[in-house]
Amino acid sequence: MAAMMQPQIILLKEGTDTAQGKAQVVSNINACTAVADSVRSTLGPRGMDKLIHDDKGNTTISNDGATIMKLLDIVHPAAKILVDIAKSQDSEVGDGTTTVVLLAGEFLKEAKPFIEDGVHSQNLIRSYRTASNLAINKIRDISVSIEGKCLEEKKALLAKCAETTLSSKLIGGEKEFFALMVVDAVLAIGDGDRLNLIGIKKVPGGTMRDSFLVNGVAFKKTFAYAGFEQQPKSFVKPKILLLNIELELKSEKENAEIRLSDPSQYQSIVDAEWNIIYDKLDKCVQSGAKIVLSRLAIGDLATQYFADRDIFCAGRVTEEDLQRVAAATGGTVQTSVNNVIDEVLGYCELFEEKQVGNERFNIFSGCPAGQTATIVLRGGADQFIDEAERSLHDAIMIVRRAVKNSTVVAGGGAIDMEISRYLRQHARTIAGKSQLFINSYAKALEVIPRQLCDNAGFDATDVLNKLRQKHASGEGANYGVDINTGGILDSFANFVWEPSVVKINAINAATEAACLILSVDETVKNPKSESALGEAAASAMAGRGRGPPRGGRGMRRRF
Amino acid sequence: MVFHMQPYGIQGLLKEGHKHLSGLDEAVLKNIDACKQLTLITRTSLGPNGMNKMIINHLDKLFVTNDAATIVNELEVQHPAAKILVLAGKAQQEEIGDGANLTISFAGEILQTAEELIRMGLHPSEIISGYTKAINKTIELLEEVVEEGSENMDVRNKDEVVSRMKAAVSSKRLGEEDILCPLIADACIQVCPKNPANFNVDNVRIAKLVGGGLHNCSVVRGMILKNDAIGSIKKVEKAKIVVFTGGVDTSATETKGTVLIQNAEQLEKYAKTEEAKVEELINAVADSGAKVVVSGAAVGEMALHFCERYKLMVLKISSKFELRRFCRTTGAVALLKLSPPNPDNLGYADSVSVEEIGGARVTIVKNDKAGNSVTTVVLRGSTDSILDDLERAVDDGVNTYKAMCRDSRILPGAAATEIELARKLKEFSFKETGLDQYAIAKFAECFEMVPKILADNAGLNAMEIISSLYAEHAAGNTKVGINIEEGVCKDVSALSIWDLYVTKFFALKYATDAACTVLRIDQIIMSKPAGGPKRDQPAGMDED
């Protein structure tokens, strides 16, 4: 009430939340550390998975940082930034999402004591930026190019990268099997570089080992009408017609109406409708295509008609699959059956319908344009296959990046230890506060090997000391954590590889996020506007009483 | 009950429910206090080492920024006097596009000193007249400190542009200005028309794409559309372009109608004629030489089918503004209806291609030859808030370019100008007779705020810095300012930190105007907010 009498106190709108100063920076840091802690245990080959049960009752099991962050539904504004960088890492590189969150959390954690001691955050930010530039340049320096190798050799190298990614996932046990599959899939799409050309189909049942790669397109048998059984289910070198129209007996246009004055004409109209559909079907057959696919329905009349002429047809094929078939077979999707020239027909070596689990699959293989691949995933539970799909997506992205920027670095924490060592060494040449900050940045980088050890149940301090010693000796630049024995090993020689772009992007994004959070010294939260609140909440607001009644009472009290 | 509290005086004059505040204590000082509160928020964001603010607005959108214009805009300031400062900041933002923080902080500072003067016993009107004299003198003095020879500049010389832009950009993204400035300068110079005064800020576009980092930022001559091409043709080079605003589809009547079919023949023909019509149109478009069709609305399936057949790339731009810019980029004349285009109406682009950047598919329209139409600065960053902040930095840079096209005079930056002004203004104040003298002297002292905040934000000892600055300036080194990197005083011409004359001119002018307006107020009357039907509803539930 008093506030209403003194307008100067309400500088900002009623309900506005403000927080300011050092305490604000520290509380933001705490929030971010808490978020980082929640994904911490998923890092590395021995990382644990998280089961997330959302409000709709869906269960997700994942150890993909980006997926977890997305599902966590974070509302804290500062912590949200971490979600953003995980997403950005996911879209830019595809993997390393846990790493980036962990690094950002660790950078902030290291900064916290300095902030509490009264260091101006801009000083920290400047040092962090310098350190990140140094680190990135160092990665570029020591990365190894896989350019110029022959295809076979390159394939093996790419498979190693995929294996490193997969080893930290649920399907890590079968990493060699899937790594090859992923590399083949990525190489199949070639320079086209459109991710949606790699299809992943999930069929519950069987074991992981039953998964297979189709060098072409595969999709689940669509709904079919009577007559489908009579159609041949396998073709060698068929031509394929892709349609975007309905092959069904129905009215041509919604806004057309027929009015007859002469009842005898009625039959002719019925005939005309039949003529139209027969004309369409006839044109399909005349085009010479042996397989007819349509995005829209293919009715029972058409199914019968095609079956009589030894043609295979499938209606209601999803847009995605149809596009993929078009890309693979070199055909174009037609919206009209008139004037179908040979050019727009697709072509493939072999078409067959196959039983996979308890589903039937239409499989097109040996496609000339080649630019597609489909991975059919098998496995026990739905959640399991879902996670496997996410893991494969990560691996596919990694291989794509590795193909694009073909340099790799040693994984298993080796590169992090090496940068850390390099930065420590560099820090000694700096006079002033900056030395301390760069040192703590270097220390923060060690979180990766430390967490790898922790998650594997090894004594992190012990392993880290061994690693530091090895890296300091000058010739152990490629030494990382040995996840099997709890010791250290030459990661590079043991094919634990990561594309350098993953690390560069992770360090860059983590530093940017950390600097952003450090640079905030004030949070102002405006009350939500009524339009944003929606009607339900608006009624709750009403109880607080704004405007006239309250103002009026304030005045009356005054006099 | 009301009877016992029968209002009197002015209260009786006005409708019940209004608020009335008057006099020095109630109005002037409280107003000043509110303005001070506001500047407390913005001042820590001043300068290259300024801190960011995290603001969540009423729509739950997160802003992380140190751009004062954005901060005050999103703060939703309620206090009427503080609003005047906000308006001054906005005016500066609209006039120059940079320096809003200086405006608000400086206005807050001179109001604060005004408070001291009022407590000394000066009347607000004397303070106002003193301040007015002071600002007029300041403007004179400002002319004197202008760097010699800076009034003639080549707005197409990248180095000169960068040196003038640096201060504005580095105050937003410190340590990144070396990458950003050349990019912005490139973009601006490319679209700079023959008469630089006609430079249009709108011609420098910004495309924000999440992912990557600052070193992935680039400048594209042409436009970037944030969506994919519709058809399967994803890349065309040296293409003529036809633009249709109305969509590419079979024409339908606006009025609801039904096609009446009377016999079987008509029914059979119906579909065919429609198809033939579309084919004819698309064929005509293809014949005109166009390779790219741009639609402002939906593209019909039948039309798309024939576009594919005739190997036309199809783009859809649903935003009217974006479509207009696209026309400007390519020189195309937008056609209202799907009809065979006239060769004069066709646009041209060197290449139109779909590329994947950071997981998003974008269409890049490049046009090297057409010169000064539209350029796009591609910004990359790891989060949306970083990108938004980068965008504001680029906006400031572009606005600075616009300002320097009009007036290219520059002043020494890094608080060198402020200290010089403070020193000279103080001398001037001693020559004044009357009570104005105090106000002018105080006004001069206010300039110390800038070096003080710069030093404070950089974690330096402000008093030490200011005293050594005065010493240097008194010794005749008028271009000495703060070197934030090293924390010492240095000649700014060596550091090449320059501010634009116009930016400072308007910032100081607007700030003083706003402050004087606030000081002039001696009564606040707030009427009872109108009780519309919307407000009546909750009233029933209220405690009253």
Side-chain angles (χ1 to χ4, degrees):
Chain A
M1 216 47 44
M4 288 307 289
M5 286 167 60
Q6 300 172 328
Q8 56 277 0
I9 303 217
I10 33 165
L11 174 66
L12 302 174
K13 222 180 193 172
E14 212 181 323
T16 307
D17 243 355
T18 61
Q20 202 180 357
K22 195 158 72 175
Q24 172 65 14
V25 183
V26 173
S27 104
N28 280 344
I29 293 177
N30 287 341
C32 293
T33 327
V35 171
D37 279 342
S38 68
V39 292
R40 182 177 288 274
S41 60
T42 65
L43 187 82
R46 296 282 187 269
M48 305 297 280
D49 290 356
K50 304 274 169 200
L51 190 147
I52 298 160
H53 192 76
D54 68 13
D55 49 3
K56 290 193 199 80
N58 298 327
T59 309
T60 311
I61 299 176
S62 180
N63 78 357
D64 178 47
T67 311
I68 298 173
M69 298 291 280
K70 219 183 299 165
L71 291 173
L72 276 180
D73 216 0
I74 291 169
V75 288
H76 192 283
K80 253 189 189 161
I81 292 173
L82 292 191
V83 182
D84 281 353
I85 57 168
K87 266 192 218 156
S88 130
Q89 176 84 4
D90 197 35
S91 64
E92 182 76 9
V93 192
D95 193 28
T97 45
T98 309
T99 312
V100 71
V101 175
L102 204 54
L103 276 178
E106 202 64 19
F107 289 151
L108 288 170
K109 208 180 188 178
E110 289 293 331
K112 196 170 134 190
F114 292 116
I115 299 282
E116 279 168 345
D117 284 350
V119 172
H120 199 271
S121 25
Q122 289 293 349
N123 289 332
L124 267 166
I125 291 171
R126 207 178 313 139
S127 303
Y128 272 17
R129 285 213 178 116
T130 327
S132 116
N133 282 340
L134 285 168
I136 289 170
N137 288 337
K138 180 74 182 169
I139 296 176
R140 293 224 169 93
D141 260 8
I142 58 178
S143 61
V144 178
S145 174
I146 55 168
E147 200 65 66
K149 305 264 163 76
C150 71
L151 186 68
E152 273 311 303
E153 216 173 322
K154 205 167 178 179
K155 236 171 133 175
L157 296 175
L158 290 174
K160 298 294 176 207
C161 289
E163 272 175 36
T164 309
T165 302
L166 289 173
S167 68
S168 65
K169 313 279 181 194
L170 202 56
I171 51 175
E174 305 282 352
K175 60 180 180 187
E176 290 91 355
F177 177 71
F178 282 109
L180 277 179
M181 196 183 272
V182 166
V183 173
D184 282 339
V186 172
L187 292 179
I189 65 166
D191 298 330
D193 204 32
R194 282 162 64 193
L195 187 59
N196 58 4
L197 290 180
I198 300 181
I200 298 181
K201 299 284 163 191
K202 298 174 281 187
V203 187
T207 66
M208 278 188 291
R209 281 264 171 195
D210 293 335
S211 308
F212 59 92
L213 175 79
V214 179
N215 219 336
V217 190
F219 56 84
K220 211 158 83 180
K221 187 191 84 131
T222 53
F223 178 78
Y225 286 94
F228 180 75
E229 299 309 321
Q230 282 85 44
Q231 292 177 348
K233 298 294 173 347
S234 156
F235 289 99
V236 180
K237 302 191 179 174
K239 281 185 180 160
I240 303 158
L241 176 61
L242 306 165
L243 293 174
N244 192 17
I245 49 171
E246 285 182 337
L247 292 177
E248 232 176 337
L249 192 59
K250 65 173 289 221
S251 75
E252 273 292 308
K253 285 277 165 190
E254 262 102 49
N255 62 349
E257 195 182 322
I258 297 170
R259 265 192 211 157
L260 296 176
S261 44
D262 178 8
S264 65
Q265 274 195 348
Y266 191 75
Q267 188 56 41
S268 69
I269 293 286
V270 175
D271 289 344
E273 284 200 330
W274 283 86
N275 278 343
I276 291 173
I277 176 94
Y278 274 124
D279 181 47
K280 279 187 190 167
L281 295 175
D282 202 37
K283 276 177 177 150
C284 293
V285 175
Q286 270 169 19
S287 70
K290 281 288 162 201
I291 298 172
V292 178
L293 302 180
S294 176
R295 197 174 64 84
L296 298 167
I298 294 184
D300 42 5
L301 174 72
T303 313
Q304 278 295 348
Y305 189 89
F306 287 136
D308 291 345
R309 285 155 187 80
D310 282 345
I311 290 173
F312 176 86
C313 72
R316 295 186 204 274
V317 179
T318 59
E319 172 88 43
E320 240 188 346
D321 286 327
L322 201 66
Q323 289 299 338
R324 227 178 278 142
V325 176
T329 61
T332 339
V333 181
Q334 301 292 305
T335 314
S336 150
V337 285
N338 293 327
N339 190 18
V340 174
I341 44 175
D342 230 21
E343 215 177 289
V344 300
L345 291 181
Y347 166 84
C348 75
E349 285 292 325
L350 182 69
F351 166 80
E352 55 185 339
E353 192 178 286
K354 236 184 171 177
Q355 187 81 21
V356 179
N358 57 358
E359 311 268 11
R360 292 199 72 82
F361 264 75
N362 296 333
I363 297 173
F364 300 80
S365 47
C367 303
Q371 293 174 342
T372 52
T374 309
I375 295 171
V376 180
L377 267 184
R378 307 296 312 278
D382 278 342
Q383 283 94 347
F384 183 84
I385 308 183
D386 285 347
E387 174 63 3
E389 184 191 358
R390 280 191 289 272
S391 311
L392 282 187
H393 170 258
D394 281 9
I396 289 170
M397 290 297 283
I398 283 294
V399 175
R400 285 176 71 209
R401 297 303 164 202
V403 171
K404 249 190 196 167
N405 319 286
S406 37
T407 53
V408 292
V409 291
I415 183 75
D416 308 277
M417 283 309 287
E418 183 58 18
I419 302 168
S420 172
R421 183 200 61 78
Y422 168 73
L423 285 179
R424 273 175 214 269
Q425 201 181 23
H426 177 84
R428 285 195 208 115
T429 63
I430 303 171
K433 278 184 268 190
S434 186
Q435 184 184 30
L436 280 173
F437 305 151
I438 291 188
N439 252 333
S440 57
Y441 187 94
K443 187 169 168 230
L445 284 171
E446 283 178 1
V447 72
I448 303 287
R450 185 159 6 107
Q451 200 59 44
L452 285 176
C453 292
D454 276 349
N455 289 351
F458 303 137
D459 184 352
T461 326
D462 195 32
V463 178
L464 270 184
N465 280 333
K466 277 190 210 157
L467 276 176
R468 276 200 207 113
Q469 185 270 334
K470 200 76 192 174
H471 281 262
S473 72
E475 57 225 26
N478 288 330
Y479 272 77
V481 180
D482 183 351
I483 217 71
N484 296 318
T485 63
I488 58 170
L489 85 173
D490 187 334
S491 302
F492 206 79
N494 284 285
F495 304 116
V496 183
W497 294 355
E498 286 178 279
S500 48
V501 62
V502 176
K503 267 282 126 75
I504 292 177
N505 206 63
I507 289 184
N508 201 3
T511 313
E512 266 184 23
C515 291
L516 194 68
I517 290 163
L518 283 178
S519 73
V520 173
D521 75 334
E522 178 152 2
T523 309
V524 179
K525 192 169 180 357
N526 280 326
K528 283 186 189 173
S529 69
E530 271 163 73
S531 59
L533 274 170
E535 290 202 348
S539 61
M541 280 272 289
R544 283 169 54 192
R546 299 144 294 156
R550 204 164 166 189
R553 203 165 101 170
M555 288 312 292
R556 257 177 276 145
R557 271 229 182 124
R558 201 173 151 195
F559 296 101
Chain B
M1 198 171 89
V2 176
F3 178 77
H4 291 293
M5 298 188 182
Q6 188 63 48
Y8 55 90
I10 194 165
Q11 302 296 340
L13 195 68
L14 297 166
K15 210 159 74 176
E16 191 194 350
H18 75 282
K19 273 171 283 176
H20 174 247
L21 303 152
S22 67
L24 275 183
D25 276 336
E26 260 193 346
V28 183
L29 291 183
K30 298 286 180 190
N31 277 345
I32 292 176
D33 201 44
C35 296
K36 244 163 65 184
Q37 297 281 339
L38 179 70
T39 42
L40 270 185
I41 297 178
T42 58
R43 65 190 293 166
T44 49
S45 294
L46 188 76
N49 275 353
M51 300 292 280
N52 283 350
K53 309 285 166 204
M54 195 177 261
I55 300 162
I56 300 148
N57 75 355
H58 64 104
L59 296 171
D60 245 7
K61 183 170 168 21
L62 174 68
F63 293 84
V64 180
T65 182
N66 64 6
D67 182 64
T70 314
I71 297 172
V72 292
N73 208 8
E74 298 304 332
L75 273 180
E76 293 188 36
V77 173
Q78 289 280 291
H79 193 280
K83 257 189 182 161
I84 293 175
L85 256 62
V86 172
L87 288 178
K90 276 189 189 157
Q92 170 79 6
Q93 186 71 16
E94 270 156 35
E95 183 72 28
I96 308 293
D98 184 31
N101 203 344
L102 180 65
T103 314
I104 295 169
S105 299
F106 191 72
E109 188 68 19
I110 54 179
L111 280 173
Q112 200 174 341
T113 50
E115 187 187 345
E116 290 168 31
L117 291 168
I118 288 170
R119 293 207 192 282
M120 260 170 67
L122 258 71
H123 191 268
S125 66
E126 283 155 353
I127 302 174
I128 292 168
S129 86
Y131 277 2
T132 319
K133 264 187 195 161
I135 188 68
N136 290 338
K137 183 68 188 169
T138 308
I139 286 163
E140 273 173 42
L141 291 170
L142 209 55
E143 301 261 353
E144 287 173 25
V145 281
V146 166
E147 178 72 3
E148 269 175 53
S150 65
E151 60 272 15
N152 300 317
M153 84 168 270
D154 179 8
V155 289
R156 289 188 176 77
N157 183 329
K158 196 170 155 188
D159 291 339
E160 279 187 48
V161 173
V162 167
S163 76
R164 282 166 167 83
M165 200 180 274
K166 221 167 162 184
V169 176
S170 67
S171 71
K172 295 289 171 300
R173 305 288 302 174
L174 179 68
E176 292 170 0
E177 70 272 14
D178 288 337
I179 305 171
L180 279 178
C181 284
L183 283 179
I184 304 170
D186 261 344
C188 290
I189 293 168
Q190 274 172 20
V191 295
C192 186
K194 276 196 190 95
N195 179 6
N198 292 338
F199 176 77
N200 186 354
V201 182
D202 197 39
N203 283 342
V204 179
R205 306 297 310 158
I206 294 166
K208 298 177 283 181
L209 298 165
V210 175
L214 196 65
H215 43 265
N216 302 106
C217 294
S218 58
V219 173
V220 173
R221 240 183 190 196
M223 271 182 86
I224 293 192
L225 306 169
K226 274 193 167 174
N227 45 17
D228 201 343
I230 298 178
S232 62
I233 299 159
K234 302 290 186 197
K235 191 175 169 75
V236 180
E237 274 181 15
K238 297 209 172 34
K240 284 191 179 152
I241 297 166
V242 58
V243 178
F244 297 110
T245 48
V248 180
D249 203 352
T250 45
S251 34
T253 49
E254 284 294 323
T255 324
K256 203 181 165 205
T258 312
V259 182
L260 209 56
I261 294 171
Q262 254 139 3
N263 57 37
E265 217 171 300
Q266 284 177 339
L267 180 64
E268 279 181 42
K269 270 189 187 160
Y270 180 66
K272 278 184 198 156
T273 46
E274 200 177 280
E275 207 177 298
K277 185 82 190 149
V278 178
E279 176 162 15
E280 189 190 316
L281 278 169
I282 302 290
N283 193 4
V285 171
D287 279 348
S288 72
K291 281 191 202 161
V292 180
V293 176
V294 179
S295 162
V299 179
E301 284 184 349
M302 191 57 82
L304 186 63
H305 167 81
F306 285 111
C307 287
E308 295 272 289
R309 183 60 74 80
Y310 289 104
K311 303 272 176 254
L312 298 172
M313 184 175 187
V314 186
L315 293 175
K316 188 180 149 195
I317 305 173
S318 31
S319 153
K320 291 270 174 280
F321 300 101
E322 201 76 350
L323 197 68
R324 216 168 59 200
R325 273 181 224 116
F326 184 86
C327 290
R328 213 157 57 207
T329 314
T330 57
V333 178
L335 301 174
L336 270 175
K337 212 168 130 267
L338 183 60
S339 57
N342 190 324
D344 297 343
N345 295 344
L346 290 180
Y348 174 83
D350 286 332
S351 80
V352 181
S353 61
V354 178
E355 277 173 41
E356 187 182 322
I357 302 180
R361 301 187 67 77
V362 294
T363 310
I364 301 176
V365 184
K366 275 192 188 155
N367 212 352
D368 286 332
K369 270 180 223 146
N372 46 27
S373 46
V374 173
T375 48
T376 306
V377 181
V378 184
L379 293 178
R380 308 295 315 278
S382 48
T383 69
D384 287 335
S385 29
I386 290 180
L387 282 175
D388 286 345
D389 208 29
L390 275 175
E391 181 188 7
R392 283 186 282 268
V394 173
D395 266 348
D396 275 9
V398 175
N399 278 313
T400 313
Y401 185 80
K402 183 180 114 189
M404 77 177 81
C405 281
R406 282 194 268 157
D407 186 344
S408 65
R409 280 176 293 173
I410 49 175
L411 304 164
T417 308
E418 279 80 5
I419 287 291
E420 187 62 16
L421 287 176
R423 196 175 61 87
K424 288 196 175 153
L425 205 58
K426 243 184 202 159
E427 281 171 20
F428 169 73
S429 75
F430 296 142
K431 292 171 199 152
E432 274 302 292
T433 52
L435 288 173
D436 295 352
Q437 199 196 60
Y438 295 104
I440 297 172
K442 280 286 178 192
F443 190 90
E445 263 173 42
C446 291
F447 284 111
E448 285 174 18
M449 168 211 69
V450 177
K452 184 169 175 296
I453 294 177
L454 286 183
D456 270 349
N457 288 352
L460 306 170
N461 185 345
M463 287 331 284
E464 215 172 278
I465 295 276
I466 291 174
S467 53
S468 53
L469 277 177
Y470 269 126
E472 289 275 2
H473 280 253
N477 304 324
T478 55
K479 283 182 204 156
V480 172
I482 310 176
N483 180 354
I484 287 168
E485 299 287 323
E486 290 162 33
V488 289
C489 300
K490 243 189 178 164
D491 194 329
V492 289
S493 54
L495 300 168
S496 79
I497 302 172
W498 302 105
D499 286 337
L500 276 186
Y501 168 80
V502 269
T503 312
K504 202 134 279 182
F505 174 84
F506 280 109
L508 295 180
K509 203 162 161 44
Y510 285 143
T512 318
D513 283 352
C516 290
T517 314
V518 172
L519 283 175
R520 268 203 190 97
I521 300 165
D522 76 331
Q523 282 201 359
I524 306 174
I525 301 167
M526 288 165 94
S527 64
K528 177 177 164 181
K534 226 179 159 187
R535 300 238 171 193
D536 280 348
Q537 233 172 1
M541 296 162 70
D542 205 70
E543 63 249 40
D544 270 25

